[in-house]
Amino acid sequence: MRLWRSLDLVLTAAVALVVGVLGMLDLAGSSVLAGATLATLGVLAAGSVTARFQMHGLADLTRSVTEPPSADRLLTTSTSGLDVDLTQAWEIGLIGVTLNRTVRNHAVELRECVRRGGTVRIAVIDPRGDVLHEAARRSTAPGTAEIFAHRLQPTLDLAASLAALPGPGRAEVRLLDFVPAIGLLAVDVHQPRGRLHVDIYSHTSGGREPALALAPGRDHTWYQHFQAEFDQIWAAGRPVFVSAGQFH
């Protein structure tokens, strides 16, 4: 394989040797020597062109390795957790503004997690505080706080049903007095198979939102970062007891 890669050099050396011997022994005329010399130069030119193409290919490969990947390859459109498998999860954490669509997408899996002894933690904005107006302002639609209160209700109802379930598992709920900048779905985050799904909230309502899926082995640095974000937001929430949609 290495010989074929250096074929141009081998041919050049062979032609040069033959031309040199013929010249020294005066066995060929000037036209033959001139032709042989031109052939040698042609082989050298071909080798130079090949080497240049190889160098360009190597440069392209180097750029593809050293340049950061396109954001289109890293970010996807948020599905509010619809594409996340929770069927075998033992620890599920949800943080968001209202989590309306997320809990609707996974209501069955959340109940099953609690029934088999797992833990579900849910943190959303406080439905009785000024944070509703902050959420409305952040969505560039001031005066629509009642919309966020309406979207919160299914989440609070589900939290109440989870808290009332019999079995060894438990559901914990915390209310936030601020609007989180991101939504987080944490699945068995302390296990090697853990996953973190990050929704980056937009300032417009109803549009597409970018999402990022992280795994501990593949994305260690940012996995640790957003895991710490989850813990910090959770710690800032107000623990509440949920029963029949009421918070105490």
Side-chain angles (χ1 to χ4, degrees):
M1 180 62 71
R2 293 181 179 178
L3 180 62
W4 283 107
R5 290 178 178 176
S6 305
L7 185 59
D8 56 335
L9 297 178
V10 174
L11 291 175
T12 300
V15 172
L17 180 61
V18 171
V19 171
V21 171
L22 292 176
M24 288 187 297
L25 299 178
D26 197 21
L27 297 176
S30 58
S31 58
V32 174
L33 294 176
T37 301
L38 290 175
T40 303
L41 293 175
V43 173
L44 287 173
S48 177
V49 171
T50 301
R52 184 168 298 180
F53 278 118
Q54 290 175 341
M55 289 300 297
H56 283 304
L58 180 60
D60 292 338
L61 178 61
T62 302
R63 282 194 297 269
S64 68
V65 172
T66 57
E67 289 182 356
S70 168
D72 291 336
R73 294 173 56 190
L74 299 176
L75 298 174
T76 59
T77 300
S78 172
T79 63
S80 298
L82 186 60
D83 55 344
V84 182
D85 183 12
L86 301 180
T87 55
Q88 302 299 322
W90 284 89
E91 183 182 0
I92 302 172
L94 295 161
I95 286 178
V97 178
T98 67
L99 296 177
N100 178 280
R101 288 177 294 178
T102 304
V103 299
R104 185 170 67 244
N105 291 338
H106 288 296
V108 174
E109 292 93 332
L110 294 174
R111 292 189 179 97
E112 289 302 317
C113 178
V114 174
R115 286 194 179 103
R116 65 173 169 266
T119 300
V120 173
R121 296 190 294 170
I122 298 174
V124 291
I125 61 175
D126 193 331
R128 298 175 297 189
D130 293 335
V131 67
L132 288 175
H133 299 283
E134 180 187 342
R137 289 193 300 271
R138 190 185 186 282
S139 68
T140 65
T144 59
E146 68 279 359
I147 294 178
F148 288 90
H150 177 73
R151 291 175 180 171
L152 276 167
Q153 196 57 50
T155 303
L156 304 181
D157 291 342
L158 175 66
S161 69
L162 293 176
L165 285 175
R170 70 181 191 274
E172 302 176 17
V173 181
R174 295 195 176 188
L175 300 180
L176 307 174
D177 60 1
F178 59 91
V179 179
I182 54 176
L184 292 167
L185 172 54
V187 185
D188 294 328
V189 290
H190 300 101
Q191 304 298 325
R193 66 178 186 277
R195 289 157 290 155
L196 265 172
H197 296 265
V198 185
D199 284 353
I200 304 172
Y201 289 147
S202 303
H203 285 277
T204 56
S205 179
R208 294 195 305 168
E209 292 178 340
L212 183 64
L214 301 172
R218 181 193 63 200
D219 313 297
H220 178 75
T221 298
W222 290 110
Y223 187 91
Q224 294 293 326
H225 171 82
F226 283 107
Q227 184 179 349
E229 285 285 285
F230 185 99
D231 292 340
Q232 184 172 355
I233 295 173
W234 181 258
R238 177 170 63 88
V240 293
F241 173 74
V242 189
S243 61
Q246 300 298 316
F247 293 84
H248 310 282

